[in-house]
Structure formats: C-alpha cells, structure tokens
Amino acid sequence: MSVSAPVSHHPLQREDLRERASRWANAHMKWLFAAPAMIFIAALIGFPLIWTGYLSLTNAQGSVRAPFHWIGLANYLNVLTDTQRFWPAVARTIVFTTFALAGELCAGMGIALLLRRPFKRQKWVRVVVLLPFVATPVAVAFMWQLIFDPNVGYANYLLSWFGIAPQSWFSSPSTALATVIFVDIWEFTPMITIILLAGLTALPDAPDEAARIDGANAWQRFRYVTLPLLRPVILTAVVLRAIDALKTFDLLYATEGPGGGSFHQLETLNIYAYTLTFKFDAYGQASAVLMLFLALILMVLALLTLQRNQAKPA
C-alpha cells in the first residue's frame, strides 16, 4: 500500500495570497478601521430595538423576571383604541413639537439676522444669546418652575400689576402645554440661531447687493434672495430640532413628573411610555407605545429629509 506524500503549498503561492490580502486590506482600509465602531453601535442600537419590538408582542408585566407569553398584536390594538391616554398624548406630542419648532425657527432667524452684521460688543451679545442653550433641561425646568410658581413666582407678581389673577401655569390644563412650549423655545432658540447664523455667514454678498441696487427693500431682499439661498440650511435645522423636540422627556418630567400632571396636561408619548413602564409595570404595552412612537419619528424624519433633498440646488 502506497502512502501519498503530504501536500505542501509552494512559497510563491503563500506570497501571492498574502499580497492579495494586503491589496484588499489597503483598498478597504477605511471600512476595516471603522468596522469595530460600526459593529458596536449596531449592537448598541439593534439589541434594545429588537428586544422592545419583541416585548411589544407579549403580555410582559408586573416584574422583569415574571414569565410572559406571546399575544401578537393585542398590545397594539389596545393602544390604538385608547382614546383616553394614547391619542391625547399623540396630539400633545405633535402640538408641542410643531409650536416649539415654529417659535424657535422664527426667533432664531430674527436673532441670526441681527447678529449677521458686525456691531460693537457683538461677541458679548453672542455669549448672552447662547447662555440658555448651555444649561441642562432639568435645571431650566426648575428655574422656570420658580418663576411660574403660583404663590411666589415673578410671573404672577407681574400679572398682579395689571390686575390679573394668579395663574397655575404648569398645573392648569389650559396653560401647561403653552408654558412648557415657551420654556422650550427659550432654551433651544440658540441652537437654531447657531445653525442659521453659520448659513447666513456663508451666503455670498453679490445677490443681496444686486437686489439692493435694483431698488429692493430689506423685506424683499430677505424674502426673494436670502430665504431661498438659506432654505437648505433652514431645513437642516428643522430636521435636527424636530427629531429632538419629538423626543423631549427631561423638561416635561422635571416639570410635572410621571403622568404629566394630575390631569395629564403634559403627558406626551415619552411620558406616557415611562408611566406605563415604571408606574404600572406594563412592559408589553409600553413597548408597543415606543414602537409606534418610533414609527412616528421615522415618518417625520422621512418627510423632512425629502423636503431637504428637494431644496438642494441641482
């Protein structure tokens, strides 16, 4: 019986494989360096998302160690038919985001236009304008709670000068949401201002000067020259701030706590999901709320991104 000799790779073949691997690595170097971080981020985002989606299809409740069973779309049906808490929370989330974003965009645009031209002490003015954005939302909430306190707050003290009765700014269903929107505008207008000011600084002066020579006034130059040129920057600011406003939690929680107040006057989808999770231990239903909330955020993001892409010059 003959014994076959072991197969040995020729040194030239090994060198050829090594050279091919080296060429491939050099061609994909950026992906090789980024791969560990990309895998970590994908796991960090993917696992909680998949687990939340799975819990939304179960009857998980009571305790994190309690057994739970698959119930399909029952949680989604219960949530979508809840007209007492879920749909009012959806409405508050949309109203809060829309009016806060509109106020911040208008105020930010006005401040950016004022800061666009150089003037004396401009650097100090910019520092003062940016101060609200430096503070944390929880600290801002506590500060405005003191200002709007029904008993010792300065807001009611000023109203008393005009003979107006004290208001329960955060606890009254008629004023709570508007008050929180005002606080959010105060805090995050500097963010919009920074983005728009950067866009205004990058705009060329020639179109504005040409319009000025043609006799256009300040409003006409802003409406027909500055605004169209600034539209991509505006939409970028809208996308960034809209997604952030939709997810607002700390400001609302620090103001009225779980449930959004006695009358749920500040209960947005974030607060509602938190209340279901940590107050009622309804993990399955809370997960369904969060998945629906994620779908709302993705839909808004898709619409805003589509508008932004359409605004880009061809």
Side-chain angles (χ1 to χ4, degrees):
M1 183 176 62
S2 60
V3 179
S4 59
V7 179
S8 61
H9 295 285
H10 196 275
L12 293 179
Q13 292 178 342
R14 290 198 298 269
E15 290 180 3
D16 183 56
L17 290 174
R18 192 179 298 112
E19 184 178 352
R20 289 181 181 179
S22 178
R23 286 199 302 266
W24 183 89
N26 289 332
H28 301 83
M29 188 67 68
K30 60 181 180 180
W31 297 110
L32 290 176
F33 280 117
M38 294 172 64
I39 294 173
F40 175 75
I41 293 174
L44 193 65
I45 297 175
F47 174 75
L49 185 61
I50 294 172
W51 182 248
T52 302
Y54 173 71
L55 283 181
S56 69
L57 301 173
T58 68
N59 64 345
Q61 60 181 352
S63 171
V64 292
R65 296 180 179 273
F68 52 84
H69 307 285
W70 179 275
I71 58 173
L73 299 176
N75 284 324
Y76 290 93
L77 294 176
N78 291 335
V79 169
L80 292 174
T81 55
D82 180 10
T83 59
Q84 299 296 320
R85 300 284 293 273
F86 176 74
W87 286 111
V90 171
R92 292 187 200 98
T93 303
I94 295 174
V95 169
F96 174 84
T97 302
T98 302
F99 284 92
L101 181 60
E104 291 158 8
L105 190 60
C106 294
M109 177 65 75
I111 297 173
L113 289 172
L114 291 175
L115 297 178
R116 182 185 185 186
R117 304 300 180 185
F119 57 87
K120 191 176 181 180
R121 308 294 183 186
Q122 185 186 48
K123 293 182 179 180
W124 291 105
V125 174
R126 290 187 177 186
V127 170
V128 173
V129 168
L130 294 178
L131 282 179
F133 192 50
V134 177
T136 62
V138 174
V140 170
F142 288 157
M143 180 189 73
W144 284 101
Q145 273 187 318
L146 291 175
I147 295 175
F148 286 119
D149 187 272
N151 300 315
V152 297
Y154 284 104
N156 283 332
Y157 177 70
L158 292 176
L159 290 181
S160 66
W161 291 359
F162 303 95
I164 302 176
Q167 303 293 317
S168 300
W169 298 97
F170 286 114
S171 57
S172 172
S174 60
T175 59
L177 191 58
T179 305
V180 172
I181 289 172
F182 168 78
V183 174
D184 191 81
I185 291 173
W186 180 87
E187 182 179 9
F188 288 101
T189 291
M191 172 185 172
I192 304 295
T193 302
I194 294 172
I195 299 174
L196 297 183
L197 184 59
L200 287 170
T201 305
L203 292 182
D205 294 329
D208 188 75
E209 292 297 331
R212 187 192 302 271
I213 293 173
D214 290 339
N217 57 35
W219 167 250
Q220 291 172 332
R221 295 197 307 272
F222 172 75
R223 171 67 180 83
Y224 297 105
V225 179
T226 303
L227 206 56
L229 292 174
L230 198 62
R231 188 183 177 193
V233 179
I234 294 174
L235 289 176
T236 299
V238 168
V239 170
L240 294 175
R241 183 63 197 127
I243 300 304
D244 196 35
L246 278 171
K247 301 183 299 179
T248 298
F249 175 83
D250 38 16
L251 176 63
L252 301 172
Y253 184 84
T255 303
E256 285 296 320
S262 303
F263 302 98
H264 310 300
Q265 64 270 16
L266 294 181
E267 187 177 66
T268 60
L269 285 175
N270 261 335
I271 300 295
Y272 181 44
Y274 179 90
T275 305
L276 286 174
T277 303
F278 296 102
K279 188 174 181 180
F280 299 106
D281 297 329
Y283 305 118
Q285 190 173 350
S287 298
V289 172
L290 290 174
M291 295 305 295
L292 292 171
F293 190 25
L294 176 62
L296 174 64
I297 292 176
L298 292 177
M299 182 178 65
V300 172
L301 178 61
L303 292 175
L304 293 176
T305 304
L306 180 62
Q307 290 291 326
R308 181 174 178 270
N309 293 335
Q310 292 177 349
K312 290 182 179 179

